[in-house]
Amino acid sequence: VPVGEDEFGVDGDLGEMASVKHTDKVNVVVQCDRAEEDNPEMGYSGLELPGIGNFKDTRRLRMGTDSGEPVGECGEVNMGEPKTLIDFLAWGVKKYPAKRTALVFWDHGSGWPGYGGDDSHDHDQLNLPEMERALAEGLQAAGLAKLDLIGFDCCLMSTLEVLRVVQPFAGVLVSSEELEPGVGWNYEAWLGALMQDPGMAADALGKRIAETYSAFFSTLDRTNWRYLYS
């Protein structure tokens, strides 16, 4: 159950998700909030995704092979508000119940100050106390005791402060103590592996996310890294 607001172009993370051959045994549900600014070269809106098109508000999408299926419109919500995460967790877990559930935070990370920064709401972040409240209330509303995996596809979220907050709510944490290149995780690789093995345990999935991330960036010429971190 990814949630975030960056990399929406056909060549971005949603494009990677759509490039995978999906199976009905795995639901990949995304809540994404695109910025009002229209500047595709800087990663803001403007670009269309197959089956979805372009938009500037907040949408819920169920990703499939070659496209995404709109499954809900939220209007313009603040991704830095705890209620936004609470509502998404309650809705997603109830609508798409599963034997195993993962939640991926997908945007900017800053460690103890928190996660995100909604460009449409004065860069409001989800700070750690707000995240703790949202996870507790969201899972309670969903009727789920604990997530199998929480991931942060963003920078600097592998700290003791973050771990203290998320530890009660998931069995596995996947995060980076360092900066992440802007293109983030290799969704095509690890989601493809999950589709082939839907029964994969959470620790095995976490390991696959880290391995495919490392493998992708180890193949790049380091002269390109200035662009990747921009």
Side-chain angles (χ1 to χ4, degrees):
V1 190
V3 55
E5 66 171 355
D6 275 344
E7 303 285 350
F8 298 110
V10 173
D11 296 324
D13 290 340
L14 287 181
E16 289 180 25
M17 295 176 197
S19 70
V20 174
K21 185 176 181 180
H22 286 249
T23 169
D24 59 5
K25 295 185 181 298
V26 178
N27 287 304
V28 180
V29 185
V30 180
Q31 177 163 303
C32 54
D33 178 16
R34 302 187 83 175
E36 295 177 1
E37 184 177 351
D38 191 0
N39 187 343
E41 291 185 359
M42 295 298 294
Y44 290 100
S45 299
L47 298 174
E48 296 191 358
L49 191 77
I52 300 169
N54 184 18
F55 58 92
K56 298 179 183 294
D57 55 2
T58 307
R59 305 284 176 93
R60 289 172 176 168
L61 315 168
R62 182 177 183 271
M63 302 308 298
T65 307
D66 298 326
S67 68
E69 172 194 2
V71 290
E73 296 185 14
C74 306
E76 178 51 57
V77 301
N78 181 358
M79 299 291 274
E81 282 286 339
K83 186 177 184 301
T84 303
L85 179 54
I86 293 168
D87 291 346
F88 177 66
L89 272 171
W91 169 84
V93 172
K94 288 180 178 179
K95 187 172 180 64
Y96 301 98
K99 293 180 180 178
R100 297 180 181 86
T101 305
L103 173 69
V104 177
F105 292 87
W106 165 34
D107 199 328
H108 297 292
S110 51
W112 64 264
Y115 150 85
D118 191 320
D119 291 359
S120 303
H121 291 86
D122 199 27
H123 304 284
D124 187 22
Q125 283 190 309
L126 192 68
N127 64 40
L128 294 188
E130 290 174 332
M131 184 181 296
E132 187 171 28
R133 174 196 155 199
L135 289 169
E137 294 185 17
L139 290 177
Q140 183 178 29
L144 189 66
K146 202 170 188 178
L147 295 159
D148 293 274
L149 181 148
I150 288 178
F152 289 95
D153 183 9
C154 40
C155 301
L156 305 173
M157 296 301 282
S158 190
T159 69
L160 288 174
E161 296 89 347
V162 175
L163 179 61
R164 184 200 66 81
V165 166
V166 303
Q167 189 273 334
F169 306 112
V172 175
L173 171 66
V174 182
S175 56
S176 173
E177 63 183 329
E178 266 293 354
L179 297 176
E180 265 197 18
V183 294
W185 291 359
N186 187 342
Y187 287 88
E188 183 177 3
W190 72 262
L191 268 181
L194 181 60
M195 295 298 170
Q196 292 178 14
D197 182 11
M200 188 183 300
D203 56 349
L205 178 60
K207 184 177 180 181
R208 184 60 62 93
I209 292 169
E211 287 175 345
T212 55
Y213 171 87
S214 176
F216 174 76
F217 289 109
S218 68
T219 65
L220 296 181
D221 184 336
R222 288 183 178 269
T223 59
N224 294 326
W225 280 43
R226 181 176 181 181
Y227 161 73
L228 292 169
Y229 276 102
S230 64

